Amino acid sequence: MRIRKVRIRYLLSICLLLISTPSIVSAQQRGKLNRAETREAERRLSDMGYWTGAVDGLFDPATRSALIAFQKWEGRPVTGQLTLDELDAIRTSSSPKAREPGYAHVEVDLDRQVLLLVNDEGGVRVVPVSTGNGDPFIDEGQTSIAYTPRGRFMVYKKEVGWQSGPLGSTYYANFISGGVAIHGSRSVPFQPASHGCIRVPIFAAREMSKLLALGTIVLVYDHISFVSAKSWAENPGLKQAALLNSASTDYVDDIDATKTRPRSVVNKKARSKIIRAGFRFNNPGDSSRRKISNA
């Protein structure tokens, strides 16, 4: 009787294994894409506006970057892994939309952690970014805040290639406010991690810099702050005045192009200030600037 019970248990174990094996294999297969499926994902992502690089069926850093941007925009778990489940989601999704279409500009969505290059027709090219994490840090004995300012800005200064400083390195930096720049970085985490700059994937940084001509409008916003720049787009005089102001002072114009006010310092403490990822301004009227690259 005992031997019979052992045999029955053994047979039951075999049956359960046979039943579960197909589901295990199916789950494993769901995580693997062949080259044709990878190319399909790349093509679809590219058609929607995500910056994929070459559509060649190879899951390279550019493809992974496009997938991450897609996952961020759609509110999906950000894994950077291209599975059949992700392919299914890509097949049924639509293109990202600019917050303010109608003119060429750049948008940085701080909540989603993505950057959109927007053309005159509202078409977009989207890359993932990493911005200021809001944490305090010590620089040369003083407390600073890793903060990316919100508002409307313009590219007023550009750099070529790599530039290094105490806080890190920048690649093809495009300055938009004080020392805050859109620049390439070897490290673009899924979450905010910079000292204030807007990091973009290094593979796209050089070409993006070519697209960000001096005077390019840049809107930086989150779910509670958005400032329109339509008046700049519609009135070249206002835009030119704002550009000259950006290049000569440490002011942010975020309500009225005819009125400027000093930048507010978030979480300001005694003797603390915000490091603006490229230059430190001791006061708005101080023309002496010391380079401190901030990745």
Side-chain angles (χ1 to χ4, degrees):
M1 178 65 69
R2 184 176 181 180
I3 294 175
R4 185 178 179 183
K5 289 182 177 179
V6 171
R7 288 178 176 175
I8 292 173
R9 288 176 182 173
Y10 178 75
L11 291 172
L12 287 173
S13 298
I14 294 297
C15 291
L16 289 172
L17 180 61
L18 292 173
I19 292 171
S20 62
T21 296
S23 61
I24 293 173
V25 172
S26 175
Q28 291 175 339
Q29 289 176 342
R30 293 292 296 172
K32 295 181 179 180
L33 270 66
N34 58 39
R35 187 160 182 173
E37 290 168 330
T38 301
R39 186 182 292 109
E40 179 190 352
E42 287 178 317
R43 172 56 60 197
R44 179 63 183 143
L45 287 169
S46 179
D47 289 345
M48 287 190 291
Y50 297 99
W51 198 325
T52 60
V55 177
D56 53 12
L58 299 177
F59 190 68
D60 55 18
T63 306
R64 183 174 183 270
S65 173
L67 173 63
I68 291 169
F70 167 79
Q71 292 173 331
K72 286 182 171 186
W73 182 267
E74 295 293 332
R76 298 177 63 79
V78 183
T79 64
Q81 297 179 4
L82 183 57
T83 64
L84 284 173
D85 286 335
E86 293 303 316
L87 177 57
D88 288 342
I90 291 168
R91 286 167 172 162
T92 59
S93 296
S94 56
S95 300
K97 302 299 182 185
R99 180 75 176 267
E100 186 168 79
Y103 62 97
H105 64 286
V106 171
E107 296 187 6
V108 180
D109 186 327
L110 296 175
D111 294 325
R112 288 189 171 104
Q113 288 288 286
V114 297
L115 179 150
L116 296 84
L117 288 158
V118 187
N119 64 25
D120 289 324
E121 293 73 39
V124 299
R125 294 183 76 179
V126 189
V127 297
V129 300
S130 180
T131 60
N133 60 18
D135 292 340
F137 63 96
I138 304 298
D139 178 59
E140 297 183 354
Q142 293 184 312
T143 301
S144 304
I145 303 298
Y147 178 74
T148 301
R150 285 71 167 158
R152 60 182 178 182
F153 311 97
M154 272 182 280
V155 175
Y156 73 89
K157 175 181 170 62
K158 299 171 68 70
E159 291 180 342
V160 176
W162 284 103
Q163 302 292 329
S164 298
L167 295 177
S169 299
T170 62
Y171 186 63
Y172 282 90
N174 304 270
F175 293 91
I176 64 170
S177 175
V180 173
I182 300 169
H183 69 79
S185 174
R186 293 188 180 95
S187 175
V188 184
F190 297 161
Q191 68 285 342
S194 81
H195 292 99
C197 275
I198 300 161
R199 300 182 191 174
V200 301
I202 198 166
F203 79 90
R206 185 174 181 178
E207 183 179 349
M208 182 180 294
S209 184
K210 293 178 181 178
L211 298 173
L212 300 184
L214 290 174
T216 298
I217 295 172
V218 180
L219 306 180
V220 185
Y221 55 84
D222 56 25
H223 65 286
I224 59 173
S225 63
F226 177 81
V227 180
S228 171
K230 282 187 176 180
S231 61
W232 286 357
E234 296 169 353
N235 189 327
L238 288 179
K239 180 179 176 181
Q240 183 63 24
L243 178 60
L244 293 173
N245 184 66
S246 297
S248 62
T249 70
D250 186 33
Y251 282 59
V252 173
D253 178 321
D254 60 1
I255 297 297
D256 185 340
T258 64
K259 299 178 182 180
T260 58
R261 63 180 178 81
R263 289 194 185 109
S264 60
V265 178
V266 177
N267 296 331
K268 185 173 182 180
K269 299 179 181 179
R271 297 191 62 202
S272 69
K273 56 190 169 185
I274 293 173
I275 300 299
R276 299 293 187 179
F279 295 100
R280 172 184 292 149
F281 292 78
N282 292 323
N283 62 68
D286 186 356
S287 60
S288 62
R289 305 171 184 177
R290 186 161 55 84
K291 184 73 173 290
I292 52 161
S293 296
N294 177 2

